Amino acid sequence: TWLKKEGWASTSATQHEYIFHSWNSGSSPSSGSLRAYVYGGTPDSQGLIHLRVVSGSTTLSFDHDTGLSTIADSNWHHYSLTAKTSGTNTVSNLYVDGVHKSKLTLSSTTINEVTGTMIAAIGGLVGPLSGSSGIGKGWGNIVSASLDEFRYWKTERDAQQIGRFYIDQVGGGTNTDDVKHDDINKKVSLGVYYKFNEGITGVSSTDSTILDYSGRITNGTFVNY
């Protein structure tokens, strides 16, 4: 996704600002989930993006350094996060503006397949995390930030694919069609794609719908539009 952040909601290390949260509608939004967040607690933490992958009682934690002194630099940046099982390990990568910045490996640690009905939120939590009554649905909304061109892929994107297409559009056709101009860029792997450029009709019930360009009809709803 593209993100432009101009400030921090809080300087507390416990006040996470959630970029993305997906959940498999299981017993708790903490399990069967994927979370990406930032926080401005200390200068050392302001250039990090945190990725948490959870399946059951197993949590994989990756704390990626963007190479920026602070993410809240009032500039647009493109961030790509990946996580993939490799043998008995799990490997996660971060790319910033199409350039690889961080690779983290958790040895002898993997998760099982996450199944169920997936729901997700951009800019907040989709449901309350277990064990903390103060962290509820929508909590941690990104303050003083804008997002654009959000893509969720069902397979890992490599450095070449990200470098080529982070600043370009990707065609739809998730269910059946492969891209014609790039054999390594398979459209069938694109799960969700929000461009956020539908225009404005002036009718809130229409404008609050965020269209999915992946080829599915996984439209989003702009909460409190």
Side-chain angles (χ1 to χ4, degrees):
T1 188
W2 285 91
L3 185 145
K4 178 183 178 181
K5 186 163 176 56
E6 299 178 350
W8 297 98
S10 171
T11 57
S12 169
T14 62
Q15 299 290 308
H16 299 165
E17 299 182 43
Y18 284 88
I19 300 171
F20 178 73
H21 177 209
S22 68
W23 171 43
N24 68 340
S25 305
S27 59
S28 165
S30 298
S31 59
S33 70
L34 177 73
R35 306 195 301 272
Y37 62 88
V38 297
Y39 63 86
T42 65
D44 288 343
S45 68
Q46 293 178 4
L48 303 180
I49 292 183
H50 308 273
L51 183 67
R52 301 290 180 265
V53 185
V54 184
S55 177
S57 60
T58 301
T59 299
L60 309 183
S61 299
F62 303 96
D63 301 319
H64 286 288
D65 189 345
T66 64
L68 302 171
S69 59
T70 176
I71 293 170
D73 62 1
S74 300
N75 294 314
W76 281 103
H77 293 288
H78 184 272
Y79 301 98
S80 295
L81 286 162
T82 71
K84 182 180 181 179
T85 299
S86 177
T88 60
N89 307 326
T90 302
V91 180
S92 179
N93 287 283
L94 169 71
Y95 303 80
V96 180
D97 298 331
V99 178
H100 186 262
K101 291 293 184 179
S102 172
K103 178 180 180 179
L104 300 174
T105 300
L106 293 180
S107 301
S108 303
T109 307
T110 60
I111 64 168
N112 295 323
E113 180 183 5
V114 175
T115 60
T117 301
M118 301 301 295
I119 57 177
I122 301 172
L125 290 170
V126 76
L129 300 181
S130 61
S132 181
S133 59
I135 306 180
K137 181 179 180 180
W139 188 93
N141 287 335
I142 294 177
V143 178
S144 298
S146 302
L147 291 99
D148 201 7
E149 285 283 322
F150 175 87
R151 303 171 189 169
Y152 185 97
W153 294 86
K154 297 182 290 181
T155 187
E156 182 188 38
R157 304 286 284 167
D158 62 28
Q160 184 183 67
Q161 293 167 324
I162 292 170
R164 283 181 176 180
F165 296 105
Y166 82 96
I167 203 168
D168 199 2
Q169 298 185 71
V170 176
T174 295
N175 292 325
T176 59
D177 300 328
D178 288 340
V179 133
K180 303 304 181 184
H181 63 273
D182 178 11
D183 290 337
I184 65 172
N185 179 18
K186 301 299 186 181
K187 290 184 185 178
V188 293
S189 299
L190 180 57
V192 174
Y193 182 12
Y194 298 135
K195 296 184 181 182
F196 299 112
N197 62 351
E198 288 78 51
I200 297 174
T201 67
V203 180
S204 293
S205 59
T206 300
D207 295 337
S208 62
T209 299
I210 309 301
L211 300 181
D212 175 24
Y213 287 83
S214 73
R216 298 184 184 275
I217 312 178
T218 313
N219 292 338
T221 300
F222 198 126
V223 179
N224 296 326
Y225 179 82

